[in-house]
Structures are given as C-alpha cells and as structure tokens.
C-alpha cells in the first residue's frame, strides 16, 4: 500500500523511516521469491509463507514506529490492520485472493476518505501533513484532490496487474512498481506546493 509522508513526534532518520514504511513489503517480496528454498515449501505455497511473514513484519514495523517516533501514524495503523485481516484470511482460507485484493481496498479507502472529505468541504490531507508544510486553502484542496485520485489509480493498477499477470509479477510490482510510482508522484507535486506554500512571517529584530 502506498501513502504520502507525514511527520510529528520525535524526528528520526529519513532512511530509517523509509525502512519502516517499505521494509515489510521488501520482506514480503524476498519471502515470496525464496520461500521454497528457505522454508522447504512447494513453489505454489510460497505466497502463504510470505503472507504470514508480511503480517509479522508489518506489526513489528508499527511497534518500532511507536517506539522511535513516539506516535502511531494513522495510515500505518490502517495498513497494518488491513494486512493482518486480509493476510489472516489468506492463510485461514488458503486463498491468495485476499492478500492480492488488499492493496485495492486500502488505496480505494484512502481515495474515498480524501475525496469524501473534499465533498464535505474538508481537506483531510492537511490533518496528516500540516506539521510538514503550511499551504493556503486552495493548495490543500488541490493537493488533496490529486492524492485522492492517485490512490484510485493505484487501486485500479493493482486490480489490472493481479488479474492479468503471474503471482510473482504481482508481488514484484507491489514492491518495485508502486513505490517508485508513489515517489515520482510525490515529487511531481513540488510546483503546486511551492506555489501555495505559506511562508513564515518575518519578525523584526
């Protein structure tokens, strides 16, 4: 699952924060790729071993975030809960459908929350990012709209990939496709942010 960055509480090294956010996905990819050799399972059972490891890694990353940053990021909580629920269903029902559809549901949920907030006149992205940047009302509205639509694009991409490609390709896309796309999209918002940024008032000496 993809998400715009947020920061509050105790600051931590950006690389460590990146590891907490994307580490579980990388571990999921590694376990799915080498699960048959590492754990002695059949190649068609790797996804279930990888899913179990993914659940544990997500919960460990969430706990580490709480310890290191002093708070639990809202989106990380949602992601960990959904990974646990859908990963648990995948293992309990022996059906990889649930873990494959998880990114669709998470991204669609985030998109609905952001666009739904705009419909009711609230730029909810400001609640997540206001400690990182200060934008005027129009800037928050435009940025929220863009992120909301982007989450729906990610949801659609996940549906297309898991339904048309191999399982291994889908796992690789989750790690090496979604993450670069999200970073590129976030960087592409820089002109909008700079245009609508509210500069701190200068105080005289």
């Amino acid at each position: 699952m993809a998400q715009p960055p947020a920061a509050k509480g105790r600051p931590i090294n950006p690389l460590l924060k990146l590891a907490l956010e994307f580490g579980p996905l990388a571990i999921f990819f590694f376990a799915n790729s080498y699960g048959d050799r590492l754990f002695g399972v059949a190649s068609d059972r790797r996804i279930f071993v990888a899913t179990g490891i993914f659940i544990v890694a997500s919960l460990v990353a969430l706990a580490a975030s709480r310890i290191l940053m002093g708070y639990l990021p809202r989106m990380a909580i949602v992601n960990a809960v959904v990974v646990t629920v859908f990963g648990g269903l995948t293992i309990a029902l022996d059906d990889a459908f649930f873990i494959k559809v998880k990114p669709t549901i998470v991204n669609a949920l985030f998109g609905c929350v952001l666009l739904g907030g705009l419909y009711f006149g609230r730029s909810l992205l400001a609640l997540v990012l206001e400690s990182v940047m200060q934008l005027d009302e129009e800037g928050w509205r435009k940025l929220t709209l863009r992120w909301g639509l982007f989450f729906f694009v990610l949801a659609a991409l996940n549906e297309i990939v898991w339904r048309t490609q191999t399982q291994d390709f889908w796992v690789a896309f989750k790690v090496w496709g979604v993450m670069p796309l999200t970073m590129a999209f976030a960087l592409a918002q820089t002109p909008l942010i700079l245009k609508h940024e509210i500069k701190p008032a200068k105080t005289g000496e």
Side-chain angles (χ1 to χ4, degrees):
M1 177 240 49
Q3 61 177 301
K8 62 178 180 177
R10 294 191 294 269
I12 64 171
N13 186 286
L15 292 179
L16 178 57
K17 188 172 186 295
L18 188 67
L20 290 174
E21 292 176 351
F22 295 106
L25 266 180
I27 292 172
F28 177 61
F29 170 79
F30 184 82
N32 182 74
S33 299
Y34 303 102
D36 49 348
R37 281 169 275 181
L38 292 175
F39 306 105
V41 298
S43 59
D44 62 342
R45 305 295 301 172
R46 290 177 301 170
I47 188 69
F48 300 101
V49 173
T51 297
I53 294 173
F54 189 26
I55 294 172
V56 174
S58 298
L59 295 176
V60 168
L62 190 63
S65 296
R66 177 66 180 85
I67 294 170
L68 295 173
M69 294 190 286
Y71 76 105
L72 290 173
R74 295 184 185 94
M75 291 185 178
I77 294 173
V78 173
N79 189 62
V81 169
V82 177
V83 166
T84 301
V85 171
F86 282 83
L89 288 172
T90 295
I91 296 170
L93 301 179
D94 201 38
D95 190 342
F97 164 80
F98 296 100
I99 196 65
K100 290 178 179 178
V101 80
K102 189 275 297 182
T104 302
I105 293 174
V106 171
N107 286 312
L109 175 62
F110 286 159
C112 286
V113 168
L114 292 181
L115 297 186
L118 283 181
Y119 179 79
F120 289 103
R122 296 286 303 278
S123 296
L124 297 179
L125 197 63
L127 299 178
V128 181
L129 297 180
E130 63 184 355
S131 62
V132 179
M133 65 186 82
Q134 295 293 323
L135 304 180
D136 59 32
E137 184 176 348
E138 182 183 1
W140 281 124
R141 182 179 59 79
K142 289 181 178 179
L143 191 63
T144 300
L145 176 63
R146 292 184 183 186
W147 272 105
L149 294 175
F150 179 69
F151 280 128
F152 279 113
V153 170
L154 290 182
L157 280 176
N158 184 70
E159 283 297 294
I160 292 170
V161 171
W162 85 259
R163 292 180 184 275
T164 63
Q165 304 300 316
T166 66
Q167 188 165 275
D168 287 346
F169 184 93
W170 170 78
V171 173
F173 173 75
K174 274 177 60 66
V175 181
W176 312 117
V178 173
M179 182 167 64
L181 278 174
T182 303
M183 290 182 173
F185 178 80
L187 288 174
Q189 308 316 303
T190 302
L192 172 68
I193 293 171
L194 293 177
K195 180 180 179 180
H196 293 278
E197 185 178 15
I198 299 175
K199 302 292 185 181
K202 294 183 179 180
T203 57
E205 295 183 3

